[in-house]
Amino acid sequence: MKKDIWLKPGKELNTGAIIGFAIYIALSALEWRGLALFAALAFGLEAGYAFLSALDCREKDKDSVSYNIVWGTGALAILMLLPAVMTIIKW
């Protein structure tokens, strides 16, 4: 049986990007820029991985993954990668 590297549809796609954004905001408020950048990058990469997983699952099984999940995970990826880019520019 071939193992797939992508997340499965359902609860696995609903990962911690929102929690990561809250952690980023808290670290930024405390002016811990290094940790804020690390949190934004780590959770941004995780959110990007969830987005790519949703796209792959959508191609394979259109009934289990709706466009709402695909667009939602894409929005979370942008939400987490944008603070990382802005933190790097501000540095």
Side-chain angles (χ1 to χ4, degrees), residues 10-69:
K11 289 184 179 181
E12 288 184 7
L13 286 177
N14 300 326
T15 53
I18 298 288
I19 294 169
F21 187 69
I23 290 171
Y24 167 77
I25 294 295
L27 292 172
S28 293
L30 294 171
E31 295 185 3
W32 294 347
R33 289 189 179 93
L35 289 174
L37 176 62
F38 177 75
L41 283 174
F43 284 102
L45 291 174
E46 180 270 334
Y49 175 70
F51 175 64
L52 293 175
S53 295
L55 283 177
D56 185 58
C57 291
R58 174 74 185 163
E59 280 184 18
K60 292 178 182 174
D61 186 12
K62 294 186 189 311
D63 292 334
S64 65
V65 178
S66 68
Y67 277 118
N68 291 340
I69 293 173

